[in-house]
Amino acid sequence: MFKKQYLAIASALILTTTLIPTSSQAATGTKNLQAKYNNIKVIYNGAAVPTTIEPFIVNGTTYIPLRMMADVFSKDVAWDGTKYTITVKDKANSQHASELAARDAQIRTLQGTIDSLNKQITDLKNSKSNRDDDDDVQDDLDDLEDQLDKDYDDYEDIEWKFTLSGDEDDIDVEIAVDKDEFEDEYDAMDDSDFEDLVEKVVEDIWDEFEDADIDGEIVDSSDDDENLYDFSADASDEEIKFDGDVIN
């Protein structure tokens, strides 16, 4: 079988080089050939290969149609009559093409999955980073609370309890006082005393969080955190506003 395939290919090549001048030839010409036909058949893998042009023998060499053998070996053949050139190319394999298309689709699906997972990883990292940042800010707020408790634990002979929450841009402040325990001392305070306390606390907060806007209140811890005094502070112009009146 191998010999037959070799013969077919060799014959096709001989036919091409004999009948078509090569690029090294300076001129073209016409030759009269005496062809012998003897009902020659080409058998490929046990089956006869059909052709509209019968193979023939010239000077002991068998010639078979190139296009016939091209079909046998899944080749595309094109004849350029201008350049006298035969072009042989591999035929597209439909099975391979479908397999490649399926693999391309699988690759696109996998790439989409990878992109989705990468996005999830990025989101998780950003979320963790944000949580870490929030945790860091809350740690700083907790430390500042402790410091304010120490600094103002006997302001006007009253023990004040501070609670801070928020972030570096907006901070809520609660200043708690037990009016039952410090009733006389509290009643002795006037607006200027409260404003002085608030101003000092706000300045301390801005020392740590210089861009933070502040909303705060003074509450009575002995009466379900009843609101006693409201204040706010704008970091952009460092303005402190006292919104409420002292409630005795």
Side-chain angles (χ1 to χ4, degrees), residues 123-139:
D123 291 343
L124 288 173
K125 287 181 177 179
N126 291 337
S127 177
K128 182 179 183 301
S129 177
N130 290 335
R131 287 197 303 270
D132 290 343
D133 291 343
D134 291 342
D135 290 343
D136 291 341
V137 171
Q138 189 57 53
D139 288 342

Side-chain angles (χ1 to χ4, degrees), residues 37 76 100 128 137-138 189 194 208 212 215 246:
Y37 291 88
D76 280 327
L100 289 174
K128 182 179 183 301
V137 171
Q138 189 57 53
M189 294 180 64
F194 284 100
E208 297 295 331
D215 284 312
V246 177

